[in-house]
Amino acid sequence: MRYGSHATVVPSLRACIFVVLSLCISNCISTPAQTKDTLTEQPSQVISLAEPITIDREQYADRLHGFWLGQSIGNWTGLVTEMDKIGGEGAPGEFYTREDWRGPDQPAIWSDSPSDLSPSIDFVLRGPDEVWGADDDTDIEYIYQTALHAHQTSLLSPEQIRTAWIAHIYDETQPTPYGPDEDRFQNFLWVSNQRAHELMLAGMAPPETSDPENNPHWDMIDAQLTTEIFGLYAPGRRDIALQMAHLPIRTSARGEAALAAEFYVILHALAPIAPDDQSLKQNLQSMAAVARAHLPEGSYTAAMYDFVKAQYESGTPWETARDRLYERYQVQQADGYDVSSRGLYCNGCFASGINFGSSLISLFYGEGDIKETIKIAALCGWDSDNPAATWGGLLGFMIGKDGIEAAFDQSFSTKFNIHRTRKGFPNDGLDDFDSMARVGIEVTDRAVTELMGGSVSETAWIIPASNSGEE
C-alpha cells in the first residue's frame, strides 16, 4: 500500500491542511522566553481546519500496524550502536560516519565487546517465523495502551498509571528473570523512569514522580520514548493529543524534557492528516515546523531545532552537523544547555536535550526515507535506539505495513513479546501487531467521541476540526 492511501480526508481539506502546516507558525513563534519551571505550561497554538476530517478505520489499523513494526525495526537496529559514541576522549568520542554502516560495531561505553545483537552495524530484522521483543522504546507505550483500553478511558488518572506500572514492571530490588544488575536486578528501566517507578512503589503517583524535588533525573530522555503513541490516538488534533499525553509525559519528565516529548507527540498527531499530494519529505518538514511552534523562544529545545535545521538547509553533511551539535551543546554549553557542567555519568549521554538534537539530524537528513532515517539515527550517537525507534514508528505509520515491506523488500514478523521486558500480560506476553492495532483503534474510537466530539461508524471516524476552547 503506497503512502497517502491510508486515510480518507475531506477533499477540500487537502490543500488547506498543507497550507496550514506550512504557514501557521507565522503567528506562533513570538512566545517570550520562559523560565525552566514554566516552559511546559505555555499553551500552544492549534491547527485550525476549515472542515471536519473523515478517516477510514480499517486503513488506520494498517497504519498502526506500521507504527509498531517500524518502531521495532528502528529500536532493534539502534540498539546495536546504543551509547557507542557520546563524545569526549577516546573511542567513544570518535563518532560514526556513513562509512561505518555495515562495518564492525564497536563497544558501548559500559562494555568491552561489540553488541551481541549484530557484529556489524546493520538493520536488525525479524522474519515471519521470528518474534519481535519488547524494549523500553515500545513496552511503556504498550502498557499505556493496555491501561487506556482496560479502564475504558481517554485520560489516564495518576492512580491508573501507578497501578499499571507496578503491575507490569519488575521491582529491581527483588530477583527478576533477567538476573543481577550491579547491586540490584535488571528490570529494563533507567534514569528517570527507574526513579519514577521507585517512587510509585513507595506510594507516590504522577506528576509528583517527575517533580525535581523527588526525581533528580527529570530532564533525561525517558518521556521522549514512552509517549509518542498518544499523538496517534488523536488524529489531526494535537490539542487532544497533548491533553492525553500530559500526565504520562509528566510521569518522568518536566521542563524542556517534557517539551521534547510533546514535540514528538505533535508530529504523530499531525501524521494522519498529512496530505497525500505531498512527498514524505515535504510533509515531515511542514509537520516539524508546526511542532517547532510549540517550543518557546528562549528554550534550548527551540534553539537546537533551529540550529540543526539551519545546518540541514545549508547543505552541511549530517556528520558535520552532528559534530557541530556536540561542540555547541556539550562542549560550549550554548543556549542554556548546561548538562555538561553537572558532572553526570557519561556527561549526560542519557539527557533529553542532546538526544533531542541528535534526533532532529536523522529526521531532517533522512528526508522521509525510512531506511535512511533509521541508518542516520543509528550512526548519529548517544542513545541511538531512541530516535531510530521514534522515527521508525512515525514513518512506519505514514507508509503502513505494506510500505515498510516494500522499502525493505521483505516480509516481517507480526509477533511481539511484551514479556521480554515486562510481566503480567495474557498469553505469556505473546501478542501481534494486528491485535495491538485493533486495540489502538478502540482507544481512538473513545478519544474521538469523548474528547473531540466526533462520531464513529463501522468504517470511519468523523473528527471535528476543533472543540470550543481549543488548547
Side-chain angles (χ1 to χ4, degrees), residues 351-399:
S352 165
I354 195 64
N355 284 286
F356 175 70
S358 176
S359 79
L360 296 172
I361 293 174
S362 48
L363 174 66
F364 284 121
Y365 284 87
E367 296 186 335
D369 182 316
I370 189 170
K371 295 178 70 175
E372 187 66 15
T373 301
I374 292 173
K375 284 168 61 175
I376 294 172
L379 291 168
C380 213
W382 298 284
D383 212 355
S384 53
D385 62 316
N386 300 145
T390 294
W391 304 142
L394 179 65
L395 290 168
F397 173 85
M398 295 180 78
I399 65 178

Side-chain angles (χ1 to χ4, degrees), residues 82-85 92 96 105-115:
E82 179 188 29
M83 295 301 172
D84 290 359
K85 306 296 180 181
Y96 289 130
D105 177 56
Q106 298 179 31
I109 58 173
W110 53 70
S111 175
D112 295 323
S113 304
S115 171

Side-chain angles (χ1 to χ4, degrees), residues 324-360:
R324 290 174 178 173
L325 180 81
Y326 163 72
E327 180 71 24
R328 180 172 178 82
Y329 290 102
Q330 288 203 291
V331 177
Q332 299 174 4
Q333 301 187 75
D335 301 317
Y337 188 71
D338 62 356
V339 171
S340 293
S341 68
R342 289 157 53 185
L344 300 177
Y345 169 70
C346 68
N347 196 26
C349 60
F350 293 102
S352 165
I354 195 64
N355 284 286
F356 175 70
S358 176
S359 79
L360 296 172

Side-chain angles (χ1 to χ4, degrees), residues 54 463 467:
T54 300
I463 300 175
N467 290 329

